[in-house]
Amino acid sequence: MKTFTNILPLRNELKDARFSAAREGKSLRIALVPTMGYLHEGHASLLRKARAENDLVVLSIFVNPIQFGPNEDFERYPRDPEKDLALAEREGVDFVFMPSVEEMYPQPTRTHIKVEGLTDVLCGASRPGHFDGVTTVVGKLLHIVQPDRAYFGQKDAQQVAVIAQMVLDLNFDVEMIPCPIVREADGLALSSRNVYLSAEERQAALVLSRNLLAAQAKANTTESRVTAGELLTELRDAIGAEPLAVIDYVEIADFPGLSPLAADERLDAAGRRSDVLIAVAVKFGSTRLIDNVILTKKVND
Ligand code: PAF
């Protein structure tokens, strides 16, 4: 495994690898797994899939300042490069790219990628500018690495929708691979931010997965004939009943378009007309957690 902190040597090494493969008449499928580090089993699952499906796996670790708002947790975002490198090694990563802020943004960036519409709702409504920072850095990473495939966790479902739109609109030559949410045994969705939770907050946070998974199960029965309005009320009431939970949003939208569904729109397996995202963002103490389930038009298991 090779580690790079600068763009040029990484680019040169990737060029060499492509050139050597071409000389031998082989194609070289390159995967990029972009992360902000503090890696957990969710990231490991992306790396494993990337490893199984490609010839060369690049992991990027970069806590991207421009996707954090002024009052957000950029400074205290958890970092543990040594542990990250050990996990990367274990998962068979070939190249790790861990640039400094100065390497990625040698001067304040005047060019941003903004995906309109999809970024004003859900997390975009409470984190203005967040997705512009995400698409700008992912655009830069895709230019630097030029991967054939890029792997993203579905826990950030809105991020997946926004980046997929960017890839489509700007003709990035990359296949987006969304990967399922990985949960702890008790249901909590894995997140680097879980480390901020006290034991009491962590216990309270289970209200999210418990109710999201129950909503998914209910919608997936044909008999329920449940509507978006009914499910939304049930979810908001159940999460709101947890004393430590402060709701930012609980929403039901079509996926990946992210438009809210009419209250009378049927969500049951036989009635739904599109893939549907049920997404929540809830604060426990100072920690804002997100979680979601997706109801596919073709019934989920
Ligand atoms: O999902 C993340 O960790 C980040 O938003 C990403 C995609 C690495 C961009 O900084």
Side-chain angles (χ1 to χ4, degrees), residues 33-37 43 60-65 67-68 77 105 130-131 133-135 137-138 141 151-153 156 159 163 192:
V33 181
T35 76
M36 298 207 299
H43 298 112
S60 68
I61 299 177
F62 179 60
V63 186
N64 174 37
Q67 70 185 73
F68 289 80
Y77 194 83
Y105 303 112
H130 164 69
F131 286 109
V134 170
T135 41
V137 80
V138 172
L141 291 167
Y151 293 75
F152 296 91
D156 298 292
Q159 172 170 282
I163 296 173
S192 303

Side-chain angles (χ1 to χ4, degrees), residues 20-299:
S20 309
R23 215 177 29 206
E24 291 170 26
K26 294 183 190 151
S27 67
L28 186 78
R29 282 163 313 165
I30 298 177
L32 172 65
V33 181
T35 76
M36 298 207 299
Y38 211 71
L39 304 179
H40 50 65
E41 191 50 35
H43 298 112
S45 74
L46 305 184
L47 291 171
R48 249 169 254 147
K49 189 162 165 61
R51 177 74 283 162
E53 295 176 351
N54 301 276
D55 304 303
L56 195 149
V57 177
V58 183
L59 162 70
S60 68
I61 299 177
F62 179 60
V63 186
N64 174 37
I66 68 164
Q67 70 185 73
F68 289 80
N71 298 318
E72 293 183 359
D73 57 345
F74 172 67
E75 294 296 343
R76 71 168 191 137
Y77 194 83
R79 293 160 169 92
D80 191 343
E82 270 177 38
K83 198 161 151 251
D84 288 349
L85 289 174
L87 185 145
E89 183 99 61
R90 214 167 46 241
E91 297 302 339
V93 169
D94 298 292
F95 296 170
V96 182
F97 179 47
M98 30 190 348
S100 62
V101 172
E102 294 68 36
E103 179 68 4
M104 288 298 274
Y105 303 112
Q107 62 277 314
T109 184
R110 293 171 191 254
T111 308
H112 290 93
I113 302 178
K114 180 175 181 57
V115 174
E116 288 171 352
L118 295 182
T119 56
D120 302 335
V121 294
L122 305 174
C123 287
S126 34
R127 301 185 70 190
H130 164 69
F131 286 109
D132 302 349
V134 170
T135 41
T136 301
V137 80
V138 172
K140 282 164 75 78
L141 291 167
L142 291 175
H143 282 310
I144 293 166
V145 176
Q146 300 191 11
D148 299 278
R149 300 193 179 107
Y151 293 75
F152 296 91
Q154 195 78 45
K155 187 171 81 66
D156 298 292
Q158 184 174 14
Q159 172 170 282
V160 168
V162 168
I163 296 173
Q165 188 67 46
M166 171 191 84
V167 163
L168 190 70
D169 288 344
L170 298 183
N171 303 93
F172 280 90
D173 192 11
V174 66
E175 187 185 351
M176 287 273 301
I177 315 281
C179 302
I181 296 177
V182 178
R183 298 182 180 280
E184 304 269 16
D186 58 10
L188 185 71
L190 293 191
S191 161
S192 303
R193 288 190 169 101
N194 290 349
V195 71
Y196 300 147
L197 297 168
S198 69
E200 206 189 359
E201 288 163 352
R202 195 201 169 287
Q203 190 58 32
L206 299 179
V207 72
L208 305 185
S209 53
R210 194 168 57 240
N211 287 289
L212 282 168
L213 295 169
Q216 182 181 42
K218 181 167 184 179
N220 278 345
T221 57
T222 317
E223 317 79 67
S224 72
R225 294 183 72 87
V226 70
T227 64
E230 286 160 2
L231 216 51
L232 205 49
T233 305
E234 277 174 28
L235 258 178
R236 283 188 180 143
D237 289 352
I239 296 173
E242 165 50 59
L244 293 187
V246 177
I247 294 178
D248 176 355
Y249 66 77
V250 176
E251 297 290 354
I252 301 187
D254 74 333
F255 190 78
L258 306 184
S259 319
L261 297 186
D264 61 356
E265 178 99 24
R266 268 176 61 189
L267 286 193
D268 59 277
R272 76 179 73 115
R273 292 185 300 172
S274 64
D275 285 1
V276 171
L277 172 69
I278 310 181
V280 301
V282 178
K283 268 185 129 179
F284 297 87
S286 60
T287 309
R288 183 177 176 278
L289 298 183
I290 56 171
D291 199 350
N292 70 77
V293 289
I294 290 180
L295 314 175
T296 50
K297 180 141 181 8
K298 196 171 143 290
V299 179

